[in-house]
């Protein structure tokens, strides 16, 4: 559902035996290698002496058919062909239905700050134990002195956050807050995002932040949510998908 960079490799005595396609030419490529580049970008490698390409058969109308399919994808904002066709099948939804979906590759390549509506699957999460999903605000303030999150799953309804002061205690200094990381993935890349503070309260709707280790009801509810989010026993086309808003920071 997205453009895939194809890198051309000429190593040692291996050189390209055919000219490369011209710009905007539709072609078929064979024997490409696949690899993951910086930032978990999926890429393809055109290997000299191994890979090859051929033009589309104009007489058979292949180019017209592909152009029609691409136009339809753009019209319907299709970014993941194996995601559920109906948004009602998604585990989470946002209220920004008029905003087009964007791929994780676009998130990574767009200069911060920015916001994105994405369709992704969750591959992993930290901390590994739900009892550690919440921390006291004072722990966050100490951590923010050293590092700031690079991406954040943003809630639809932002609440007023307690003002932070690194020189002293903030209002709500001893309050609990969510601090969870998710590894999300689409057809173009993987990205670690932070489910943080009030955004965490929206993501884990109905579960207020607290000391989870002392509340069995919250612990069991969070375990059920994470089990529904990551079902490792499911086949690729049966894995849960979520719709989310991702915000990048400077």
């Amino acid at each position: 559902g997205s453009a895939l960079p194809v890198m051309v490799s000429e190593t040692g005595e291996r050189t390209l035996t055919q000219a490369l396609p011209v710009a905007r030419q539709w072609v078929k490529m064979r024997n490409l290698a696949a690899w993951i580049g910086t930032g978990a970008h999926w890429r393809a490698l055109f290997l000299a002496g191994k890979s090859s390409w051929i033009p589309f058969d104009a007489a058979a109308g292949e180019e017209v058919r592909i152009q029609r399919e691409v136009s339809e994808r753009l019209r319907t904002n299709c970014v993941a062909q194996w995601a559920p066709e109906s948004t009602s099948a998604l585990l989470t939804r946002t209220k920004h239905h008029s905003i087009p979906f964007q791929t994780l590759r676009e998130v990574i390549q767009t200069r911060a700050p920015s916001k994105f509506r994405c369709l992704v699957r969750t591959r992993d999460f930290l901390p590994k134990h739900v009892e550690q999903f919440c921390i006291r605000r004072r722990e966050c303030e100490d951590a923010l002195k050293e590092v700031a999150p690079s991406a954040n799953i943003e809630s639809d309804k932002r609440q007023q956050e307690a003002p932070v002061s690194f020189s002293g205690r903030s209002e709500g200094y001893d309050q609990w807050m969510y601090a969870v990381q998710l590894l999300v993935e689409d057809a173009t890349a993987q990205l670690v995002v932070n489910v943080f503070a009030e955004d965490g309260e929206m993501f884990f709707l109905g579960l207020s932040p607290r000391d989870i280790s002392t509340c069995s009801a919250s612990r069991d509810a969070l375990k059920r949510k994470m089990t529904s989010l990551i079902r490792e026993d499911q086949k690729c086309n049966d894995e849960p998908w979520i719709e989310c808003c991702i915000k990048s920071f400077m």
Side-chain angles (χ1 to χ4, degrees):
S2 178
L4 174 69
V6 178
M7 315 300 291
V8 178
S9 173
E10 292 183 290
T11 58
E13 298 179 353
R14 292 185 178 276
T15 58
L16 296 175
T17 57
Q18 63 179 143
L20 291 175
V22 299
R24 305 188 70 81
Q25 181 180 4
W26 289 91
V27 298
K28 299 177 183 178
M29 293 187 176
R30 297 179 176 177
N31 299 326
L32 298 178
W35 63 296
I36 301 176
T38 304
H41 289 94
W42 310 127
R43 298 176 184 269
L45 194 61
F46 191 97
L47 300 172
K50 293 185 177 181
S51 304
S52 62
W53 67 271
I54 58 174
F56 274 48
D57 187 347
E62 288 184 314
E63 184 170 332
V64 174
R65 177 179 58 82
I66 292 298
Q67 286 179 330
R68 187 181 301 115
E69 290 181 3
V70 171
S71 298
E72 181 64 13
R73 285 192 194 180
L74 293 174
R75 186 188 68 81
T76 59
N77 189 215
C78 177
V79 294
Q81 287 185 299
W82 61 86
E85 293 185 5
S86 172
T87 54
S88 62
L90 301 175
L91 284 182
T92 64
R93 297 284 305 280
T94 72
K95 294 184 178 180
H96 310 299
H97 307 310
S98 61
I99 305 299
F101 284 118
Q102 291 179 276
T103 65
L104 292 183
R105 183 190 305 280
E106 292 176 291
V107 175
I108 295 171
Q109 293 183 337
T110 302
R111 180 174 297 180
S114 192
K115 296 181 182 180
F116 310 87
R117 177 174 174 240
C118 296
L119 189 61
V120 299
R121 296 179 297 184
T122 306
R123 284 305 192 186
D124 203 356
F125 61 91
L126 286 174
K128 301 302 293 184
H129 302 289
V130 298
E131 293 86 350
Q132 300 172 336
F133 274 20
C134 294
I135 63 174
R136 289 194 183 275
R137 189 174 292 274
R138 63 170 178 263
E139 299 176 44
C140 173
E141 292 188 13
D142 292 339
L144 284 176
K145 295 177 183 178
E146 301 178 3
V147 63
S150 58
N152 188 39
I153 287 191
E154 186 191 42
S155 63
D156 294 318
K157 294 181 180 179
R158 298 196 59 85
Q159 302 175 16
Q160 183 63 36
E161 184 174 357
V164 175
S165 171
F166 293 143
S167 59
R169 292 192 174 189
S170 68
E171 181 184 348
Y173 186 74
D174 286 322
Q175 291 179 350
W176 289 90
M177 59 190 293
Y178 279 104
V180 182
Q181 285 189 325
L182 300 179
L183 175 64
V184 297
E185 173 189 77
D186 68 1
T188 65
Q190 291 184 335
L191 182 66
V192 175
V193 297
N194 297 312
V195 185
F196 194 69
E198 284 78 5
D199 296 330
E201 295 183 44
M202 289 300 301
F203 190 75
F204 298 111
L205 192 62
L207 294 175
S208 299
R210 65 182 67 202
D211 184 356
I212 306 297
S213 64
T214 64
C215 181
S216 59
S218 293
R219 180 177 63 248
D220 293 343
L222 278 173
K223 285 182 177 180
R224 288 194 296 270
K225 286 180 180 289
M226 298 312 295
T227 299
S228 66
L229 194 63
I230 303 178
R231 297 201 296 260
E232 297 180 354
D233 59 331
Q234 298 295 309
K235 297 181 180 179
C236 180
N237 58 353
D238 292 330
E239 290 178 327
W241 286 76
I242 63 174
E243 177 185 330
C244 62
C245 290
I246 297 179
K247 184 176 181 179
S248 60
F249 295 89
M250 297 293 291

